[in-house]
Amino acid sequence: MSKLLVPWDRPSHMANLHYQVSCHLSLCIRQFWFVGDLKIELQASKQREAALEAALAKKEFAEEECRKKVDEAKKREAYLENDLANMLVLVAKLKKEGGSYS
């Protein structure tokens, strides 16, 4: 009497099962490497973002310093123009009074 083979004892079923397990493992390995690549890419992206934020902060600081210098220069210019106008008024008064100032 021959032994009755159950589906999991049949060679074709075992080959099919082996193929499925092999494919599943292959897929898991590819996903593992893909996730690893994504993590590396994410870390690099975070580093680039941090570098860009630092560069932006440095630029904004330099821009603010320039703005302050421009404001100070404008104030100084206004002061000098006012001083010059006062001097011209004094020169005009001296000329009007007939004073000689050379």
Side-chain angles (χ1 to χ4, degrees):
M1 189 157 99
S2 70
K3 180 180 173 189
L4 185 61
L5 295 176
V6 287
W8 52 86
D9 284 340
R10 293 188 187 140
S12 63
H13 179 74
M14 292 303 290
N16 187 25
L17 183 61
H18 175 65
Y19 175 76
Q20 288 176 353
V21 169
S22 176
C23 287
H24 181 71
L25 285 175
S26 177
L27 177 64
C28 288
I29 291 170
R30 283 194 308 256
Q31 288 175 339
F32 175 77
W33 286 113
F34 179 70
V35 168
D37 289 345
L38 284 178
K39 286 181 180 180
I40 291 169
E41 190 177 327
L42 177 62
Q43 184 62 28
S45 177
K46 286 180 180 180
Q47 289 173 351
R48 282 192 304 272
E49 182 182 6
L52 289 172
E53 286 177 353
L56 179 61
K58 187 176 179 181
K59 178 189 168 284
E60 287 174 345
F61 178 78
E63 189 177 326
E64 184 60 29
E65 290 297 310
C66 287
R67 226 181 257 123
K68 287 178 184 178
K69 287 180 181 180
V70 167
D71 288 344
E72 289 171 9
K74 285 180 180 180
K75 288 177 185 177
R76 179 82 175 137
E77 180 184 23
Y79 170 79
L80 291 172
E81 285 177 352
N82 188 39
D83 203 26
L84 177 62
N86 289 336
M87 286 181 195
L88 291 174
V89 168
L90 288 175
V91 168
K93 282 184 184 179
L94 286 172
K95 284 185 180 181
K96 185 176 179 183
E97 293 173 359
S100 161
Y101 185 77
S102 300

